[in-house]
Amino acid sequence: MGNAYEIYALRYATMSPRTPSMNFLQPDPHDSAAQDLDYFVWLIRGHGRDILVDTGFNAEEASARARKLTLNPVDALERFGVAASSIRDVIVTHLHYDHAGNLDRFPNARFHLQEREMAYATGRCMCNGLLRHPFSVEHVTQMVRHVYGERVTFYSGDGEVAPGVTVHRVGGHSDGLQVVRVDTARGPVVLASDAAHYYANLQRKSPFPIVYNVGDMAVGWETIERLAGHPDRFIPGHDPIVTEIYPRTSDKVDAWALHLPPTRSFAK
């Protein structure tokens, strides 16, 4: 493919233990255990550029939410050989705390965001504690500062960040959630972020419990399947299965190559 990129998933935290009701809006009553929740950022590399997808959370946010941070994502990137100051483009899939922290650590980056997400995170829905809970006012405020600094590119639906790297608003989990489609040598790979926390959310058509609009989430799954074109080419946002089926690529940081074929297929 003319615009083939490499994609790396960098894990920076894990949440355990979990129950089925924490992972599915309507869990299988026969399930008694549930998968851990892994936290990732994603690095897209190719054509002389590095594009970061999401920025994770830091130690302060981990403490505030009782999460265990293995390694700040900025430090994970550094161990992977990528300095934060060298990143020119950051795609923020949505503004929840675990995807939009550390926004002050990328001094030379332009941030790519759905305008609907900015409106949602600063609008009337944030008066509701349940909808507000996944957001951090510090993160949202930092993004507003980047807007005023003319460092944000907004999208309304579909958009192109670079040749072969496109964003697509799906909503559902958060009103302005976007997924990222990346051309690779094995075909288009879709970083689904929280449109599907786990493979099973999409495969079972069973939403993760944190959801703004279930209807949008269901349509979003169809969009992901269409954009990927094959069940092995969509990557969920938090599933530890990713670390089991993709090749590990570093002995310095938890990183896996998503542009290479998985060792297990989900094709029926």
Side-chain angles (χ1 to χ4, degrees), residues 12 16 38 41 45 52 64 84 91 106 121 125 130 150 171 193 210 213 230 250:
Y12 67 92
S16 178
D38 279 351
V41 297
R45 310 196 79 173
L52 182 64
I91 300 171
F106 298 90
C125 285
L130 181 66
E150 300 183 8
S193 184
I210 299 176
N213 187 306
H230 192 282
S250 174

Side-chain angles (χ1 to χ4, degrees), residues 30 35 38 52 64 104 119 122 135 144 149 163 216 221 226 238 245:
H30 301 98
Q35 291 171 283
D38 279 351
L52 182 64
D104 58 337
T122 56
F135 293 91
V144 172
D216 279 357
W221 293 331
R226 173 178 56 81
H238 293 270
I245 66 175

